[in-house]
Amino acid sequence: MSLYICKMSIIIKNLSKTYNQQIALDSISLNIKKGEIVGLLGPNGAGKSTLMKIITCYVESTSGEVIINNKNIHEDHKKIKSEIGYLSENNPLYTYMYVKEYLEFSAKMHNVSNIKKKIDEVILKTHITNEKHKKIKQLSKGYKQRVGLAAALIHDPKILILDEPTTGLDPNQLEDIRKLIKEIGINKTVLFSTHILNEVEKICDRVIVINKGNIIEDKPIKYFLTNNITLENHFQKITT
């Protein structure tokens, strides 16, 4: 196995997904290094969520290859799922549960050992200590997102996939979740989608833009900062 492959968390080659006659992804290829925080941008229906669902093994591709931590997604489904933490756009929490109860449930789903210790660790990491004895339905949207992140982290995954993690948050909640993603990204590979371009500039090492199922931009954030390019204006220009 080459050193290049070993340094990559995610390798995607000629990946396509078709729903009936509609093309969601059109033979895209990309690589994400270990430890990178990558922002995935694109208008609604561009293919962002489809890509994330394929990477996390929730949806099968029509064609192409996906390699996660040197494992082929078609050959090592269960192992790959154990190495990925996933927060979907709708954050499907069981709101009638208490926070700690839900995290215990999530830990058992992932066959986590030493559950109490892991719960204490993710509660501390996601800064929900003061809310841990509440029912999830009692929490604000920002804290519900934190609980979703805690559940995604409970099995200590190597890769974190976040689909629109800051949708619907107020400015203070936005800033808190941004800081949290940045902290998590110190030790993990993070891929997250967003509509908030300012978020990408503040958090990411790199930005990938998808439109109509194709990758139309893949550049490090430094490129935009060095060349004094406003990401918002550039994004509108290349997606219209």
Side-chain angles (χ1 to χ4, degrees):
M1 188 178 294
S2 71
L3 183 61
Y4 172 78
I5 291 175
C6 289
K7 287 183 177 179
M8 295 295 163
S9 281
I10 302 171
I11 298 174
I12 293 171
K13 298 178 182 177
N14 303 318
L15 186 68
S16 293
K17 177 62 180 178
T18 303
Y19 295 101
N20 296 323
Q21 300 300 314
Q22 183 178 355
I23 298 174
L25 295 173
D26 189 7
S27 193
I28 67 169
S29 298
L30 64 93
N31 301 317
I32 298 177
K33 296 176 185 176
K34 292 179 179 178
E36 267 192 305
I37 302 179
V38 178
L40 191 61
L41 295 177
N44 289 330
K48 304 185 302 296
S49 292
T50 297
L51 175 58
M52 290 181 158
K53 287 175 182 176
I54 291 173
I55 292 172
T56 53
C57 306
Y58 284 94
V59 170
E60 288 189 7
S61 62
T62 302
S63 61
E65 188 176 13
V66 180
I67 298 171
I68 307 294
N69 290 334
N70 307 320
K71 302 171 193 68
N72 191 298
I73 207 166
H74 297 299
E75 298 170 0
D76 218 338
H77 216 78
K78 289 184 179 179
K79 182 62 176 173
I80 286 172
K81 277 190 173 183
S82 73
E83 295 183 1
I84 292 177
Y86 177 44
L87 178 62
S88 65
E89 183 178 1
N90 296 319
N91 191 11
L93 302 169
Y94 294 122
T95 57
Y96 61 87
M97 284 185 169
Y98 290 93
V99 171
K100 291 187 75 173
E101 180 186 13
Y102 178 71
L103 293 177
E104 181 179 356
F105 168 76
S106 300
K108 287 179 179 177
M109 289 287 288
H110 286 287
N111 296 315
V112 171
S113 58
N114 203 345
I115 290 177
K116 186 181 181 303
K117 180 183 177 184
K118 291 304 299 183
I119 289 173
D120 289 343
E121 286 176 358
V122 295
I123 282 174
L124 192 62
K125 184 175 288 185
T126 54
H127 310 295
I128 55 175
T129 302
N130 294 335
E131 314 296 319
K132 65 183 179 181
H133 296 301
K134 292 182 180 179
K135 281 195 172 183
I136 294 172
K137 66 182 179 182
Q138 297 175 296
L139 305 180
S140 68
K141 178 71 184 290
Y143 274 107
K144 285 177 181 174
Q145 289 297 85
R146 287 174 182 270
V147 172
L149 277 169
L153 292 166
I154 195 71
H155 57 298
D156 195 23
K158 297 177 182 178
I159 299 171
L160 196 60
I161 307 290
L162 310 174
D163 195 357
E164 301 282 355
T166 57
T167 298
L169 302 185
D170 66 34
N172 290 333
Q173 293 170 338
L174 272 174
E175 190 59 33
D176 288 343
I177 295 297
R178 285 172 185 163
K179 288 179 181 177
L180 183 54
I181 293 171
K182 194 77 174 175
E183 288 172 15
I184 292 167
I186 294 172
N187 299 309
K188 299 185 186 300
T189 303
V190 179
L191 174 66
F192 77 97
S193 65
T194 181
H195 286 98
I196 305 171
L197 302 180
N198 183 42
E199 201 163 81
V200 175
E201 292 176 333
K202 287 186 175 182
I203 299 174
C204 296
D205 304 309
R206 176 177 157 207
V207 59
I208 296 173
V209 181
I210 294 183
N211 194 25
K212 298 177 181 178
N214 292 283
I215 293 177
I216 58 174
E217 189 87 279
D218 186 350
K219 286 187 169 65
I221 288 297
K222 285 182 181 179
Y223 168 84
F224 298 97
L225 298 177
T226 303
N227 293 283
N228 200 26
I229 297 172
T230 304
L231 188 54
E232 184 172 358
N233 293 337
H234 183 68
F235 176 74
Q236 290 176 348
K237 185 177 177 182
I238 64 176
T239 55
T240 52

